[in-house]
Amino acid sequence: MTATTEQTILEMRGIGKSFPGVRALDNVNFKLYKGEVLALMGENGAGKSTLMKILSGIYSPDSGAIVMDGREVTFPDTNAARDAGISIIHQELNLCENLSVAANMFLGREEVGGFGSLDDAKAEEETRRILLALGLDIDPGIEMSYLSPAQKQMVEIAKAVSQNARIIVMDEPTSSLTTAEEEVLYGIIEKLQE
């Protein structure tokens, strides 16, 4: 899809990364424009996951630079990348099956009410608002274990939106989806471009 503006929000310049006996990335350049959807393709072992892990603060590059909004940045950990607006949705989803959709959406950043107690009603209300904005009909109070793989993935995307992610990276998002579920995913991606 075409970028909606020519504003560069992310650049990875000359990225290199080695592991014992393996050069995973060698002088990789990558540019992302606001509103743009890109697909990074290659064979297993081509370095796609390594590049994603550098962007998300899991790995540090051996060489090169990451530039966001014209400023060079470093991500010493995943919190720093998330704080910069980068969200990664891994192929193996990172959800707690025994908790509700709303509890998963705000896990680690729970809504707190009076006397320090969790404000489940506020979390459910905010979750419902985000899900509806994405066109998703998922009950915020339902336990994750009752959802289909596609619905769980949609919750992960909604969680990224709730964290004000500016860049959402999805690792093989259609690998476990049916054709109809893929269409729902593509519809959400189009909404996120707006």
Side-chain angles (χ1 to χ4, degrees), residues 24-25 41-49:
L25 299 173
M41 300 185 298
E43 294 183 21
N44 287 341
K48 302 178 303 293
S49 293

Side-chain angles (χ1 to χ4, degrees), residues 15-16 18 20 29 58 60 68 75 81 98 102-103 105 111 116 122 126 143-144 157 161 173-174 182:
I15 301 294
S18 294
N29 296 297
I58 295 171
S60 294
M68 285 190 73
F75 302 130
N98 63 328
M105 287 273 290
E111 297 286 345
K122 186 173 180 184
E126 181 64 9
E143 189 175 290
M144 290 299 300
I157 294 168
V161 170
T174 60
E182 286 178 11

Side-chain angles (χ1 to χ4, degrees), residues 105-170:
M105 287 273 290
F106 290 96
L107 193 62
R109 47 192 191 102
E110 289 82 359
E111 297 286 345
V112 179
F115 303 107
S117 62
L118 297 181
D119 190 342
D120 294 333
K122 186 173 180 184
E124 283 193 21
E125 179 184 323
E126 181 64 9
T127 298
R128 183 174 284 107
R129 185 190 66 74
I130 293 166
L131 292 171
L132 288 175
L134 294 174
L136 298 172
D137 184 24
I138 299 173
D139 177 1
I142 195 169
E143 189 175 290
M144 290 299 300
S145 63
Y146 292 107
L147 300 182
S148 71
Q151 289 173 313
K152 291 175 185 176
Q153 188 169 43
M154 302 310 159
V155 169
E156 283 274 41
I157 294 168
K159 183 176 181 177
V161 170
S162 78
Q163 295 171 339
N164 298 315
R166 296 177 58 217
I167 299 169
I168 301 175
V169 179
M170 300 179 201

Side-chain angles (χ1 to χ4, degrees), residues 1-12:
M1 296 183 189
T2 310
T4 56
T5 70
E6 287 299 307
Q7 180 186 357
T8 303
I9 59 172
L10 173 74
E11 238 184 301
M12 297 180 84

Side-chain angles (χ1 to χ4, degrees), residues 64-130:
I66 300 172
V67 178
M68 285 190 73
D69 301 316
R71 291 187 359 243
E72 190 169 326
V73 295
T74 58
F75 302 130
D77 55 37
T78 56
N79 289 335
R82 187 182 62 239
D83 291 347
I86 298 170
S87 183
I88 307 291
I89 300 172
H90 297 279
Q91 190 173 0
E92 296 297 323
L93 300 178
N94 190 19
L95 297 165
C96 296
E97 295 283 327
N98 63 328
L99 297 178
S100 71
V101 169
N104 272 279
M105 287 273 290
F106 290 96
L107 193 62
R109 47 192 191 102
E110 289 82 359
E111 297 286 345
V112 179
F115 303 107
S117 62
L118 297 181
D119 190 342
D120 294 333
K122 186 173 180 184
E124 283 193 21
E125 179 184 323
E126 181 64 9
T127 298
R128 183 174 284 107
R129 185 190 66 74
I130 293 166

